[in-house]
Amino acid sequence: MKQLTLALVAHDAKKDDMAAFAALYENDLRPFTLFATGTTGARVMERCPSLSVTRLKSGPLGGDQQIGAMIAEGRINALFFFVDPLSPHPHDVDVKALMRLALVYDIPMALNRATAGRLIESYRD
């Protein structure tokens, strides 16, 4: 089976949730090629030093668009984007564009821990 690529993104209020999720599923995430936006990737790497995470730019500085381009190129197999629905986001247009690309290219997308957990569990051997 080919190695799968997973993109990790989280709004500021959800970055700790993403790091906690990664710690909970660390063994399951290890076989994936992992990409993450800047700060999200840093938090995951701090919490899970055994994971190899390629950090891209911060979301507002183009990281969301970098991941979107990778989705369009067929380089991302799933997107975990922990969304904070209770706060305004100045780069909301970029966020919506990223989610739209995941929908257009029909890749699995988890917007919260519950869905991400189900997806990870579905990839277990």
Side-chain angles (χ1 to χ4, degrees), residues 15-115:
K15 291 185 189 312
D16 288 337
D17 283 347
M18 180 66 80
F21 172 83
L24 183 63
Y25 287 96
E26 189 168 355
N27 289 333
D28 294 298
L29 290 172
R30 202 169 285 118
F32 285 83
T33 299
L34 301 172
F35 287 91
T37 50
T39 310
T40 300
R43 295 269 181 92
V44 169
M45 291 167 66
E46 284 171 12
R47 187 81 183 261
C48 306
S50 75
L51 293 179
S52 177
V53 181
T54 300
R55 289 177 56 211
L56 305 171
K57 293 186 180 293
S58 171
L61 298 178
D64 297 333
Q65 292 179 351
Q66 286 179 292
I67 290 175
M70 294 172 74
I71 290 170
E73 294 167 351
R75 296 174 51 205
I76 299 289
N77 300 106
L79 170 65
F80 289 5
F81 190 161
F82 288 8
V83 174
D84 172 16
L86 301 178
S87 300
H89 305 285
H91 66 293
D92 197 47
V93 174
D94 298 329
V95 170
K96 287 182 177 157
L98 179 56
M99 291 171 28
R100 184 178 66 246
L101 284 168
L103 291 166
V104 166
Y105 287 93
D106 199 27
I107 66 165
M109 174 174 50
L111 302 178
N112 59 35
R113 283 179 73 156
T115 308

